[in-house]
Amino acid sequence: MKSSTQMVLGLVTAAVVLIAAALWLGREDDGAGRTLLRLRIWDDSFVAAYRASLDEFERANPDVRVDVTVVPWASYPQKLRLDVAGGTADDLFWTNLYEDYADAGRLLDIGALLGPEAARAWDPSAVAQYTRNGRLWAVPQFVDGGTAVYYNRELLAAAGVDPAELATLRWSPGEDDTFRPLLRRLAAVAPWAYNAANDFQSINLPYLGSAGGRFQDGGRFVFDGPAGVTAFGYLTRLVADGLAPSAADTNTNRDFAKNAFLQGKLALFQSGTYNLAQIARQATFGWGVAMLPHGPAGRVSTDNAIGVAGNAATRHPDAVRRVLAWLGGAAGNRYLGVHGATIPAVSAVQQVYRDYWSRRGIDVGPFFDVLAGPRIESGGGPGFPAALKAIDPILGEMFLGRIPVPEALARARAAAERAAGPQ
């Protein structure tokens, strides 16, 4: 066969494959006459829980099939943005920063879809997070609870530290600081005492809030004020003093501190419930959970929720409505908590999460108790993802000690404002 003929046949074959793939990806039924929907998430550890929930939904709705697709978080935000813009996004998808999509008319109005009474079933903080301009733009799926401190019982014992001491700790830039002295005791028996690092949800926000600061005020970024200088000054000194891992490690590997804790090299690991299942599964030492250290303005945490949004471009709005109603109801939502994966957003079934861990001898109270006090909002608004992206490398340099804290915060605020654009 002539090479030119082979080339033509190859091009034809490739075209046929591409067309078939496009038809397959764009199909609206599953080949058995059922309406096919896709739910996109970014964490494959949730597939089993969603599959169990959706299997029950499909038994009650035999005309609908829901496939779960996973796009890893590293590429999730960018791919979702491109797919939404190109009209190829899934019918339903996880979201946490939704404002740009809502303002552009890309999301279904949940209140209009499910009725105004639906939101009463959900965690109030989650409802507030997904409400914009008086409308609800996602069905809350789970909440992280507050931030707490995981501790290694064996390292504490080696340092002569009673776990009960952790409940009394205070961080402060002044002489009343009791947290740093305890970290020095722990550093004598472990490579690192604590995970001070550029971690937005688990470290930066709680310290900023407990110093009396805020991340945003309306649409303005205000984290560079005196409270921010106090909070980040304290954190960066912990790193500089060797009480926490080097920012050269934590900046490039967001799981470095968690892995160090699991390896028995880190005594205290400040984080949220999203790491609880992995720690329970992989830790080979005794461990527990304690409250955050008390700051100048108290113990302050943030809480975050993940919601499922409905794609306004879906060809099957009625089927999407039924799936959202199921995932936002007690029967469908409970699957996310029944095996301890996360805290369901339906308030009536949150106890199943606590019961699961209680049966395993783990007190998750600190994740909930901290939310009884003041909270710091994690921020949002149009352009917020771009603002966070602009801030991150500057704070990374600050934790490396290359930029003084006041200068770094001022530069980060200016970069955030440029990235977010006019508010």
Side-chain angles (χ1 to χ4, degrees):
M1 186 180 294
K2 294 181 179 180
S3 59
S4 60
T5 303
Q6 290 177 321
M7 182 178 295
V8 170
L9 289 175
L11 291 172
V12 170
T13 301
V16 170
V17 171
L18 289 172
I19 292 171
L23 291 173
W24 175 258
L25 291 172
R27 75 195 195 282
E28 298 183 21
D29 64 69
D30 67 345
R34 295 184 297 178
T35 297
L36 176 63
L37 301 180
R38 291 184 181 83
L39 166 65
R40 182 184 302 192
I41 65 177
W42 60 69
D43 188 340
D44 58 7
S45 69
F46 282 81
V47 172
Y50 269 115
R51 190 66 269 156
S53 177
L54 292 168
D55 284 347
E56 183 175 345
F57 168 82
E58 289 173 5
R59 287 192 290 271
N61 296 267
D63 60 320
V64 179
R65 171 180 152 190
V66 186
D67 285 352
V68 180
T69 61
V70 179
V71 176
W73 174 251
S75 57
Y76 191 96
Q78 181 179 8
K79 182 168 174 53
L80 180 62
R81 186 169 296 276
L82 292 173
D83 290 347
V84 169
T88 58
D90 299 276
D91 304 274
L92 306 116
F93 49 82
W94 269 4
T95 184
N96 59 348
L97 299 173
Y98 66 94
E99 292 91 345
D100 290 345
Y101 298 126
D103 291 353
R106 302 288 192 170
L107 305 181
L108 294 172
D109 181 334
I110 300 301
L113 204 65
L114 303 184
E117 299 300 312
R120 294 188 177 183
W122 302 323
D123 188 292
S125 64
V127 173
Q129 180 177 331
Y130 288 103
T131 298
R132 179 169 174 80
N133 297 327
R135 296 182 179 182
L136 187 64
W137 296 106
V139 172
Q141 288 296 279
F142 58 90
V143 295
D144 288 336
T147 301
V149 177
Y150 297 90
Y151 60 87
N152 182 318
R153 290 184 184 275
E154 296 174 10
L155 291 178
L156 263 63
V161 175
D162 187 326
E165 289 185 53
L166 301 181
T168 66
L169 295 175
R170 291 176 175 267
W171 76 266
S172 167
E175 295 181 357
D176 57 339
D177 183 16
T178 60
F179 190 44
R180 181 187 295 269
L182 180 130
L183 295 183
R184 290 198 186 101
R185 292 163 62 189
L186 293 172
V189 300
W192 303 290
Y194 181 61
N195 62 313
N198 182 20
D199 181 328
F200 181 69
Q201 182 171 339
S202 296
I203 300 292
N204 296 355
L205 286 177
Y207 272 86
L208 179 61
S210 62
R214 301 174 66 185
F215 193 73
Q216 280 182 301
D217 183 4
R220 297 185 306 112
F221 294 93
V222 293
F223 56 82
D224 61 331
V229 173
T230 295
F232 288 103
Y234 187 88
L235 289 168
T236 54
R237 283 194 296 274
L238 294 182
V239 178
D241 291 346
L243 299 175
S246 167
D249 294 316
T250 56
N251 283 353
T252 55
N253 181 0
R254 300 300 186 184
D255 288 330
F256 184 90
K258 177 181 66 178
N259 293 337
F261 182 77
L262 288 169
Q263 293 162 5
K265 298 177 180 179
L266 181 73
L268 303 179
F269 175 53
Q270 185 165 306
S271 189
T273 56
Y274 42 84
N275 282 318
L276 177 58
Q278 184 180 1
I279 289 173
R281 185 172 61 250
Q282 297 184 12
T284 58
F285 48 82
W287 58 278
V289 183
M291 294 284 283
L292 288 175
H294 195 288
R299 286 191 179 93
V300 182
S301 176
T302 187
D303 58 341
N304 185 50
I306 301 301
V308 168
N311 186 350
T314 180
R315 294 188 177 95
H316 309 289
D318 180 66
V320 167
R321 177 189 60 78
R322 283 187 277 162
V323 173
L324 287 173
W326 172 257
L327 295 178
N333 190 233
R334 68 182 299 274
Y335 282 93
L336 299 184
V338 71
H339 295 300
T342 192
I343 304 168
V346 174
S347 300
V349 295
Q350 288 183 342
Q351 188 62 38
V352 301
Y353 176 85
R354 302 185 71 154
D355 291 344
Y356 175 87
W357 290 111
S358 178
R359 289 194 298 271
R360 282 151 183 79
I362 297 171
D363 177 17
V364 296
F367 295 111
F368 293 87
D369 295 345
V370 71
L371 296 178
R375 306 185 193 185
I376 179 172
E377 295 182 359
S378 57
F384 190 74
L388 287 183
K389 186 175 181 180
I391 289 169
D392 190 65
I394 301 173
L395 295 189
E397 291 291 293
M398 178 187 71
F399 273 91
L400 283 167
R402 295 173 179 168
I403 310 175
V405 170
E407 178 186 345
L409 295 181
R411 286 170 55 178
R413 177 188 53 77
E417 290 173 348
R418 287 193 301 271
Q423 298 296 304

